[in-house]
Amino acid sequence: MAFLLFSFGNHLLAQDNPDAIALMDDQLENNFYEAMKQRGIENYDKAIVAIQKCIEKEPTNAAFQYELGKNYLSLKNYVDAENAFKKAVELDNKQRWYWNGLYDVYYQTKDYQKSIPIVEKLIEFDGNMREDLVSLYMNTNQHGKALELLKYMESKSKLTSTMEYYKLKIQESNAYTKPQKEQLEEAIKKNPKEEQNYIDLIVLYSSFNQEDKAFEVAKQLEKEIPNSDWAHVSLVKFHLNNNDGENASKSMFKVLDNDRMDLKIKHRVFNEFLIFAVKNPTYLKDIDKAIPYFNDDKEINVAKEVAKFFWKKNDLENASKYFENGIKRNSDDVEAMELYLEVLIQKQDFQSVTKKAEEFLESFPTQVGFYFYAGLGYNQLKEYKKAKTILENGLDFVVEFNPSESGIYNNRFNVNFYKQLIISCENLNDKVKKETYTNKLKQLQK
């Protein structure tokens, strides 16, 4: 579980630097600057000796206690560091630095329970520390408090990806679902104009695939707050069930345009519309417009997944179109390239097979598959010399491949590679090479 640390070094803001101390005499000044010098060169033991001399002179100086705590912390002497920072806070509780010192001790020792009251205090200095508090609640299994704080944060601004993850994790917890559902339902009754409660309940139902219940909440939300984008999460399905593609499309784009909606919800809405569009091709133009909304998705290449969807339905035209789009979206997606070439072979578009395979080889010269596809394409075009040359160029990578591995480069793939070489040699009347590759093939087929 992530545990967020916001170092005090990054949050000075309007605080006075405790190092800027009015020193009363030369001896005190010398000891203080000696402590600073020794700390600067990481002689923490010597820095402690020097700062303790300062404390002997001024035992109620909070800044000296803070400096002492920093040096103990650098030595990982957590007990003495904690005591020093506590004394600094007792002497002056208005300095954020001193509270942060305590937080650093508890962070490094993973004492989450002790961290909570410290972070609650730090929030008074910086509201961004609420993210730390959520993380602490999660680490101590106080999910109710975490969700309550997350809802407050969401009402003020968009949640970060980490906070969204925490929120969904809480809502997907079976132990928390029932009381959360009842709490939200009661909150909606008390204040039907509070959008966030509807949103949380829709997300809760959606996370358990209870689409009918989510739709009922969305309908209620649409009635109470007609301008809410969140009502469209379930209205998409409602319009699709009524065969109303125009309004379904409008609702889908309302969802996709909303930056606060979780990507998982957007994927679900998009997939529902895709199924409808396949049966009603006039709406495929909306699929094309929707795909760019997922360009920042680092986990899923949506265009590629749409291509696979069409390929399974034997719609080769759309499959090749969306594989091309997927490759443009991610020029490093070798799987998309290989699947695209497979589709072109099924289409018997061998000119495109050879052209694309050779283009891909320019970027990925060690990918054996591209040599195979190019060779197959040239054989089909009866350009046997080109086929033989490019297939033999790829032989080194076939040799290096371990046939026991799973995936596209399995033993059957190697068998097909040699079959293509045999076709090339036979048509070129190269009997020696043909015999060599035939023997290789026999070994693989054993």
Side-chain angles (χ1 to χ4, degrees):
M1 189 75 66
F3 183 61
L4 305 177
L5 170 65
F6 291 83
S7 170
F8 56 77
N10 297 325
H11 295 278
L12 309 189
L13 300 178
Q15 300 284 325
D16 294 328
N17 189 327
D19 296 348
I21 303 167
L23 302 175
M24 300 301 295
D25 57 50
D26 289 342
Q27 184 181 1
L28 186 62
E29 183 176 353
N30 290 339
N31 286 330
F32 178 73
Y33 285 113
E34 177 66 14
M36 295 298 100
K37 183 184 80 173
Q38 294 299 333
R39 176 166 178 76
I41 58 177
E42 300 183 0
N43 286 333
Y44 304 118
D45 288 323
K46 290 183 179 180
I48 288 170
V49 171
I51 204 68
Q52 282 176 332
K53 290 177 181 177
C54 294
I55 292 172
E56 288 173 8
K57 281 275 190 180
E58 289 190 12
T60 60
N61 190 315
F64 290 157
Q65 296 289 348
Y66 170 72
E67 287 298 326
L68 180 64
K70 285 201 298 183
N71 285 291
Y72 278 133
L73 185 61
S74 295
L75 291 171
K76 301 189 185 303
N77 184 341
Y78 299 117
V79 174
D80 287 335
E82 180 185 12
N83 290 335
F85 288 134
K86 277 184 174 179
K87 286 179 184 176
V89 167
E90 288 169 6
L91 291 167
D92 182 0
N93 63 9
K94 291 183 172 58
Q95 280 284 2
R96 176 188 175 167
W97 290 45
Y98 307 161
W99 292 100
N100 245 125
L102 271 175
Y103 185 29
D104 285 347
V105 171
Y106 299 143
Y107 166 73
Q108 291 189 27
T109 57
K110 293 182 169 43
D111 195 333
Y112 305 137
Q113 289 290 358
K114 282 187 177 181
S115 295
I116 289 173
I118 305 303
V119 175
E120 288 173 342
K121 181 66 180 178
L122 284 168
I123 288 171
E124 296 176 16
F125 298 99
D126 180 5
N128 291 326
M129 294 297 293
R130 288 188 180 90
E131 290 209 0
D132 284 53
L133 188 54
V134 170
S135 297
L136 289 166
Y137 285 146
M138 295 299 291
N139 275 281
T140 53
N141 292 316
Q142 298 183 65
H143 291 174
K145 288 184 177 180
L147 187 60
E148 185 179 348
L149 183 54
L150 283 165
K151 287 175 66 177
Y152 171 80
M153 292 162 63
E154 192 169 35
S155 70
K156 300 299 181 183
S157 64
K158 181 184 176 183
L159 295 178
T160 64
S161 58
T162 301
M163 295 299 105
E164 284 283 5
Y165 168 77
Y166 283 151
K167 181 182 171 187
L168 286 171
K169 187 171 178 122
I170 294 168
Q171 291 173 331
E172 289 173 359
S173 167
N174 288 330
Y176 194 74
T177 302
K178 187 176 179 182
Q180 171 66 356
K181 179 181 79 71
E182 292 173 351
Q183 180 184 351
L184 289 169
E185 288 173 342
E186 186 61 29
I188 289 170
K189 286 179 184 176
K190 288 181 179 179
N191 188 357
K193 300 298 182 184
E194 177 58 51
E195 181 188 39
Q196 191 59 49
N197 293 320
Y198 294 98
I199 293 170
D200 290 343
L201 194 52
I202 289 170
V203 172
L204 187 65
Y205 280 134
S206 296
S207 68
F208 286 94
N209 298 316
Q210 295 176 308
E211 298 295 343
D212 291 339
K213 291 182 178 180
F215 170 62
E216 290 302 321
V217 178
K219 283 200 298 185
Q220 188 180 352
L221 171 57
E222 185 187 30
K223 180 180 176 182
E224 296 291 346
I225 311 174
N227 296 326
S228 171
D229 287 347
W230 280 84
H232 294 277
V233 171
S234 290
L235 287 177
V236 171
K237 192 166 188 176
F238 171 73
H239 293 313
L240 292 176
N241 288 341
N242 288 335
N243 208 34
D244 184 353
E246 289 299 323
N247 280 316
S249 175
K250 289 176 184 177
S251 289
M252 175 179 70
F253 284 108
K254 284 280 188 181
V255 173
L256 296 180
D257 275 322
N258 192 319
D259 290 337
R260 292 177 62 196
M261 288 195 192
D262 185 77
L263 200 56
K264 189 166 68 172
I265 292 174
K266 293 183 179 184
H267 276 297
R268 180 175 295 165
V269 167
F270 174 81
N271 289 340
E272 288 172 352
F273 191 86
L274 174 61
I275 293 168
F276 172 82
V278 169
K279 298 175 184 176
N280 301 272
T282 56
Y283 292 101
L284 287 176
K285 64 184 186 300
D286 295 309
I287 293 297
D288 294 340
K289 292 177 185 175
I291 287 174
Y293 282 89
F294 299 95
N295 281 349
D296 293 332
D297 188 340
K298 293 179 174 57
E299 295 183 7
I300 300 174
N301 184 338
V302 171
K304 181 175 79 173
E305 296 306 315
V306 172
K308 288 180 181 179
F309 182 81
F310 279 111
W311 193 15
K312 286 178 183 176
K313 293 186 172 296
N314 204 33
D315 185 342
L316 301 181
E317 287 300 324
N318 277 312
S320 60
K321 168 188 168 182
Y322 287 108
F323 274 130
E324 261 195 281
N325 290 346
I327 293 164
K328 287 176 183 176
R329 184 260 187 200
N330 183 357
S331 59
D332 292 330
D333 194 334
V334 171
E335 184 195 33
M337 296 173 190
E338 290 172 346
L339 296 177
Y340 176 41
L341 292 170
E342 288 283 353
V343 171
L344 291 177
I345 288 169
Q346 280 188 253
K347 289 177 68 180
Q348 297 192 339
D349 184 358
F350 298 111
Q351 289 283 1
S352 295
V353 171
T354 54
K355 179 184 176 184
K356 290 296 179 180
E358 290 191 310
E359 281 180 11
F360 298 152
L361 274 172
E362 290 177 9
S363 299
F364 302 95
T366 63
Q367 289 292 331
V368 63
F370 297 147
Y371 294 95
F372 167 75
Y373 290 116
L376 183 152
Y378 279 127
N379 272 338
Q380 290 292 326
L381 295 170
K382 302 188 186 311
E383 296 186 47
Y384 302 113
K385 187 174 181 180
K386 286 184 179 180
K388 179 173 176 287
T389 299
I390 203 161
L391 287 165
E392 287 182 331
N393 287 341
L395 271 179
D396 287 341
F397 306 109
V398 172
V399 171
E400 291 173 4
F401 171 70
N402 179 0
S404 67
E405 293 180 8
S406 60
I408 194 165
Y409 301 134
N410 52 23
N411 188 47
R412 188 178 65 178
F413 179 86
N414 288 344
V415 165
N416 289 332
F417 202 98
Y418 284 109
K419 282 182 178 179
Q420 292 300 318
L421 274 167
I422 291 167
I423 291 170
S424 302
C425 293
E426 186 174 10
N427 283 278
L428 292 169
N429 202 28
D430 188 339
K431 295 179 182 179
V432 175
K433 285 286 183 75
K434 179 185 174 184
E435 184 179 356
T436 299
Y437 297 136
T438 300
N439 290 333
K440 289 272 190 182
L441 180 60
K442 288 177 180 177
Q443 290 174 12
L444 286 171
Q445 289 177 325
K446 286 181 180 180

